[in-house]
């Protein structure tokens, strides 16, 4: 693969590289790592790349890789740039026949997102979005159980994502500091809390329930006085099949780490999952005792089993879930290149269509909130 | 005390009697236990009462008890009738100088509720409403910690109350069965889920946070197809000090028992409490390790300590929390009768004003939902 | 009932009275509450007893009650005196035809214990020992599941009881203080930690597994330097059917409250229970997902159901478990007096034979430890 | 690095390779992967090795690598062969100047283990043993807290390791099947349960407490009827500073996965850790509220912080803990080669001396058990 972004000082870029390499099937061979070509070279050296493949720009990378023989050029592009630089490299990659793995959100702008989805449809290329929480063995078990009908018809969903990173009011507000550009809506997106974590919560809800959020009634804002970016959002949800739901996200809850929780209730039972103890899935079936499911333990379905690298009782973490997105996307790419059908179980990674759904959801939340919490259609 | 309601077949009446008697300070001496005088007599015998004090009607009870010498008559009335028969006995008791402990909700109707609050103010009598979850040592610890400033300024609150009792769609809908009168809005109140459990969730939020819910944006309804009463409600909340909140209640979540959960976040930390493990309170202070608090353990404040009957490590349950409401109300009554000031720590039981706040909240949720989830003022 | 012990200043006596009265079926009518007759009178007044039935000594109580008409005299005696005063009132009660409920341990001395068991056999009277942890709905569920064969043949057991009450080394050692007589082996028994909590752990293991501990290899001692009484004991166990087990008790683990934990593994699954979250029983069946059982929830067996006073989801605590011992013993007494067979489900309270087994176990632990951890037979 | 063992069909070998490569600092360049040279070649191809460095035997590998220029030859050898083939490659590597990372146990035989420790002392080479549970951020936090005095003087320890893999009695006993050679004491070691998991439990206890187990009183055996290898062992422990402890391991507890639990109590507080929820460390300080510690959260000490790759709230798993052993050992090797002092925080991986302590412990447990549970000195 080749990478756009992830230059010196980037945490997320290195994290993507590690995730991609975890299973030894993906090799980083080129990159345009930084807006400054010199930094891109430095980063290339750090990854022991052929210096000629540490490119100055992503445009150059795509053009030059395309000129290489098929068995030498990259198979797909990994995009780890800031949010507002997701669209251009993705578009260019697709237009030049490269598959894509992109950090979320898909884009900052719904029009751009729609264009990418259209391009993916037209080209038939693979496009994965790294909503990492869908890679955990237990969220995949939840999806598989719903899909297998173990919960019956879904009636009610709740999702919350509670962090504390922006809770400390004694610290200077980040939107006024030296890195304030990061909090510029043009760069980070129109609602910080929704872009950062709201899209994860929404995506996970869709991933597990298999349902689309069709309408929202929402409020978003800054609960910390004087803050210029959103630090909380709440919403009432209506889902595709008539189910109802509740949504709550914030980055201003003092003392919290990364508390993404989801609950899905159907006619035959309910599921609960919590990101801070991701190795456990709680299943509350109607009328029989509550059960817990753990990786590769009893009752684990194939989608979950293929997403775990360990024997039962040996917990896996966030990094392995993240790596599952890369592993599956790479497998899909490899089969596509080989002209074969991929294992359907490899095709549960989030796609550009999922990315678009997330951006439309953020858009609807903002519209609703700005209209005094009106009910707004997502599509 | 004397009781209205709680005749043969009533679970809640007997539960009130046990709670009242748990600490050996309250004696049941008379009652008008049933709409059928014969049943009232039978119930009186079961409680070993003087037959002359098993009255035919609550009107008779109040009239006859008032004629007794002060040291023989009851000190307060306990009301455990169906919701639509809370108002009349309460009014009559107050007008005749008797203190009152009433099951929740205060009334089915906001006007009636306002009249009771006015009567309580005018007479200066004690009026307790049995929102039992406020009696747990750990919810009281939470209230005391917020009140002592250990959380700083409250910014965000979440409360959910998730039950599964009405989840089984294979069972005939109760609103169509032989006891369908129980689900008549005129008897049970205008929104079943809000009256049954929504008022508990709202009351607990106010009890712990010390804040008033001032505005709501809500949706309520029946998620089970064909059901005629509400089985879920969700709301976005605005609180008195500008804090924001989230609210979710349902009785249709398959597999759930009695999952009332609350989270309160302030500038200095967050608290979490869950009714199914009520002996634990989790405190997440800003920047230092997460802590747990348990009854009579380290860090327990006086309001919590006085609400526990056990040494540390010996869990208490729902019944003891419920009994704390009676114990405190009776202590307040006894001090009032003795003409003395009660211990301020005895005065944390829910009052008629709390009951009214609950009814106004239900009313606002219904108005909002019926107006397409408009923002509605609670007061 | 009549009580021996429980005078002014006694916590445990009042706790017994509350437990006995919780269900409204048992009335305290007389007592010999204190070694000082004046204190016995004071305590009698506090319980609103007829002054003539606040006796000077238990000998007087038993003699005088026996002279009363059958329908006026007490049915059973409750013994809540210090451990070294359990034997005499128990013996006298049995010899005079009174049933007995006694605090644990049965006696301090194995010969005395054997005599009581023999007396119980000869008289056919009811004798209950208040090992309270056997009264919880979930320990009874565990016993019922083992008894119903849901675990198969028991292979392995582990029990631990870890407290922190004697951990603080900065406090003066209690054996050297003004109440040092309490720590005199002649009064408190030959091993403090074994008498206080070891007997509970041993009894719970027998109660749930249905097996007898037949041999022990143990070490006991004081881990806090300079302490004169035992504060820890560990043992390897051999059980009646060839199963093996592990035992660990201490009162010197800093920061612990009342952590009694038990695990029982059979050929078909394992059970785990923890006293600090007593409302949950974890069942790990062989080859299928882990389950949790809660009071009156799915999968609850009759012995557990009859031991709970609440609907599912409303936790009960230690006091209600304790009260179950009294309730069952009183039911057994009532049926005996009525000349009828009691419900077999009422007969799961610990008896004098269980009390004797506990004392023989303590004795064997001490012998083993004093012999350099030899294997010692319990019987 | 070069590897001995880990040929086709080996799970543990591939797991070692992944762990070694997780951080991108260690490269596998050669191996003698299988007793069958053809399989070694195949495995080498799978790892994309230079065919000339997929050796026929470890003897050949060590000889040939030694002939290579210093900057081309391997720095250390990784040993992942069956237990009875740990000693010879380790000895040969040390004698030829190569550092070693070896799977546990160090050897099957105490004499061999002593020889290796002596060789390590004489050569000054790095020797790491992969007791993986010491690599978790939270076990390292526990060690660091004890070492920093946060628990005071250690008084009591408990460790248990409960698995269910050998619980199913309906399956043919592995010692009688086609792979029965695996259960031959000459190959797997003298006590299967002690070698497999007992050494882990013992090592973790030493790692966290910083204390040596000096004497044991133990019983080991097969609880499943007819089984020829040990499936449980229990022991009473005496530690170097006079502390006391309890030890329990089994692989025959139906329904269990990988339940390694440890509790350490000192004069100032107690710690608890459980392998199935490894992201949490519970600290119960004397007299103040119970706390939980999580990776990179508040109160985390440097040894733990350097052992985590993630920001707070993103759980890590077993693989990352395992990788920490390799990472630290490789760092120590690199510094040694560079002639510099390593960061002391890199030197907390288990060494050959730790491995020897484990083997002596197993030996003492066996001696004690075979002598009727006599107290036996470990050293």
């Amino acid at each position: 693969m080749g990478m756009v972004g992830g230059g010196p000082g980037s945490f997320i870029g290195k994290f993507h590289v590690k995730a991609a390499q975890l299973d030894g099937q993906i090799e980083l061979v080129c990159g345009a790592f930084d807006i400054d070509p010199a930094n891109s070279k430095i980063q290339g050296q750090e990854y022991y790349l052929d210096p000629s493949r540490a490119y100055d720009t992503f445009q150059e990378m795509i053009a030059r890789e395309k000129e290489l023989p098929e068995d030498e050029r990259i198979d797909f592009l990994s995009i780890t740039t800031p949010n507002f630089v997701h669209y251009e490299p993705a578009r260019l990659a697709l237009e030049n026949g490269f598959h894509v793995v992109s950090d979320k959100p898909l884009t900052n702008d719904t029009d751009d997102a729609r264009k990418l989805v259209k391009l993916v449809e037209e080209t038939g290329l693979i496009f994965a979005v790294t909503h990492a929480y869908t890679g955990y063995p237990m969220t995949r078990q939840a999806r598989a159980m719903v899909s297998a009908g173990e919960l019956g018809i879904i009636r009610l969903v709740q999702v919350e994502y509670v962090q504390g990173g922006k809770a400390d009011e004694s610290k200077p507000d980040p939107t006024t500091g030296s890195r304030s550009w990061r909090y510029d809506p043009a760069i980070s997106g129109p609602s910080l809390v929704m872009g950062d974590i709201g899209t994860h919560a929404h995506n996970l809800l869709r991933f597990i329930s298999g349902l689309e959020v069709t309408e929202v009634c929402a409020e978003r804002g800054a609960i910390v006085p004087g803050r210029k970016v959103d630090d909380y959002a709440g919403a009432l949800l209506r889902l595709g099949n008539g189910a109802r739901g509740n949504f709550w996200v914030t980055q201003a809850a003092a003392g919290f780490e990364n508390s993404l929780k989801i609950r899905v209730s159907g006619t035959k039972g309910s599921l609960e999952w919590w990101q801070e103890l991701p190795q456990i899935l709680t299943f509350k079936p109607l009328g029989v005792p509550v059960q817990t499911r753990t990786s590769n333990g009893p009752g684990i379905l194939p989608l979950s089993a293929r997403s775990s690298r360990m024997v039962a009782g040996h917990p896996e973490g966030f990094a392995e879930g993240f790596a599952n997105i890369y592993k599956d996307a790479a497998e899909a790419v490899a089969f596509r290149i080989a002209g074969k059908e991929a294992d359907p179980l490899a095709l549960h990674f989030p796609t550009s269509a999922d990315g678009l759904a997330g951006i439309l959801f953020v858009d609807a939340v903002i519209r609703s909130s700005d209209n005094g919490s009106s009910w707004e259609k997502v599509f």
Side-chain angles (χ1 to χ4, degrees), chain A:
Chain A
M1 76 177 192
M3 179 165 279
V4 187
S10 159
F11 172 78
I12 196 71
K14 287 172 194 65
F15 190 73
H16 275 254
V17 171
K18 274 196 189 181
Q21 296 182 338
L22 187 70
D23 297 291
Q25 307 296 325
I26 301 170
E27 194 185 357
L28 177 70
V29 294
C30 70
F33 297 106
D34 202 287
I35 200 165
D36 175 348
N39 280 338
S40 187
K41 295 287 176 217
I42 289 166
Q43 191 64 48
Q45 286 174 332
E46 200 168 289
Y47 287 133
Y48 307 108
L49 301 189
D50 175 343
S52 71
R53 291 176 88 177
Y55 299 103
D56 288 1
T57 64
F58 66 83
Q59 292 89 344
E60 185 198 359
M61 174 165 68
I62 289 168
R64 297 269 296 278
E65 289 290 319
K66 203 180 176 183
E67 293 163 6
L68 292 175
E70 275 199 17
D71 61 341
E72 288 180 29
R73 74 167 74 133
I74 55 170
D75 295 321
F76 69 91
L77 198 71
S78 167
I79 301 176
T80 67
T81 41
N83 298 355
F84 77 111
V85 198
H86 288 176
Y87 173 66
E88 278 300 328
R91 182 187 60 77
L92 206 60
L94 292 171
E95 287 175 354
N96 285 279
F98 292 106
H99 305 278
V100 175
V101 175
S102 172
D103 206 354
K104 62 94 218 175
L106 182 59
T107 64
N108 270 353
D109 178 274
T110 57
D111 284 345
D112 289 350
R114 285 186 207 276
K115 284 181 206 158
L116 287 185
V117 170
K118 192 147 168 275
L119 260 175
V120 169
E121 282 167 8
E122 288 167 2
T123 60
L125 291 162
I126 304 292
F127 197 111
V129 180
T130 55
H131 278 297
Y133 302 110
T134 67
Y136 274 119
M138 287 301 106
T139 56
R140 291 180 161 204
Q141 169 73 9
R143 174 179 171 92
M145 288 174 73
V146 171
S147 172
E150 295 190 27
L151 271 74
I153 303 164
I154 303 305
R155 296 282 187 225
L156 300 163
V157 298
Q158 283 174 268
V159 64
E160 66 178 37
Y161 200 155
V162 178
Q163 293 182 327
K166 296 193 176 68
D168 191 347
E169 303 186 11
S170 69
K171 290 190 184 162
D173 193 85
T175 58
T176 60
S178 62
R179 284 156 67 92
S180 62
W181 58 269
R182 274 180 169 272
Y183 298 96
D184 179 347
I187 291 173
S188 69
S191 171
L192 190 63
V193 77
M194 286 301 299
D196 268 14
I197 63 175
T199 48
H200 277 307
H202 168 259
N203 185 260
L204 187 62
L205 185 163
R206 294 172 63 252
F207 180 76
I208 291 177
S209 72
L211 295 172
E212 204 55 78
V213 179
T214 54
E215 290 175 86
V216 298
C217 167
E219 190 184 57
R220 52 122 185 183
I223 196 63
V224 172
R227 180 164 284 167
K228 292 170 187 166
V229 293
D230 291 350
D231 58 17
Y232 82 94
L236 310 175
L237 308 179
R238 292 175 182 162
L239 283 84
N241 72 343
R244 290 294 188 266
N246 192 270
F247 175 93
W248 179 255
V249 295
T250 181
Q251 297 178 304
F256 274 79
E257 293 189 340
N258 197 35
S259 185
L260 171 60
K261 266 190 193 173
I262 188 162
R263 177 184 296 157
V264 175
S265 292
T267 49
K268 292 162 68 176
S270 298
L271 285 173
E272 289 188 308
W273 180 80
W274 181 33
Q275 197 279 147
E276 296 191 10
L277 299 183
Q279 58 267 57
I280 296 169
L281 177 68
T282 304
F283 178 38
K284 305 195 173 199
L286 185 69
V288 292
V290 171
Q291 301 173 7
T292 51
R293 304 285 167 99
T294 51
S295 274
N296 285 327
I300 288 302
L301 298 173
L303 177 60
S304 176
R306 73 164 262 132
S307 306
S308 170
R309 293 162 184 80
M310 302 296 295
V311 294
H314 295 74
E316 292 178 288
F318 180 80
E320 284 127 318
F322 199 102
N324 282 332
I325 312 287
Y326 267 97
K327 183 168 71 109
D328 287 349
E331 183 172 326
V333 166
F335 274 83
R336 184 66 51 87
I337 289 171
K340 292 192 235 163
E341 287 289 311
D343 179 351
L345 290 178
L347 300 177
H348 291 261
F349 54 83
T351 66
S352 56
D354 295 311
L356 172 59
I359 289 155
L360 294 174
F361 177 72
V362 173
D363 203 53
V365 164
I366 292 170
R367 259 184 292 131
S368 171
S369 183
D370 293 353
N371 284 335
S373 304
S374 54
W375 278 101
E376 295 288 331
K377 289 203 157 40
V378 176
F379 297 95

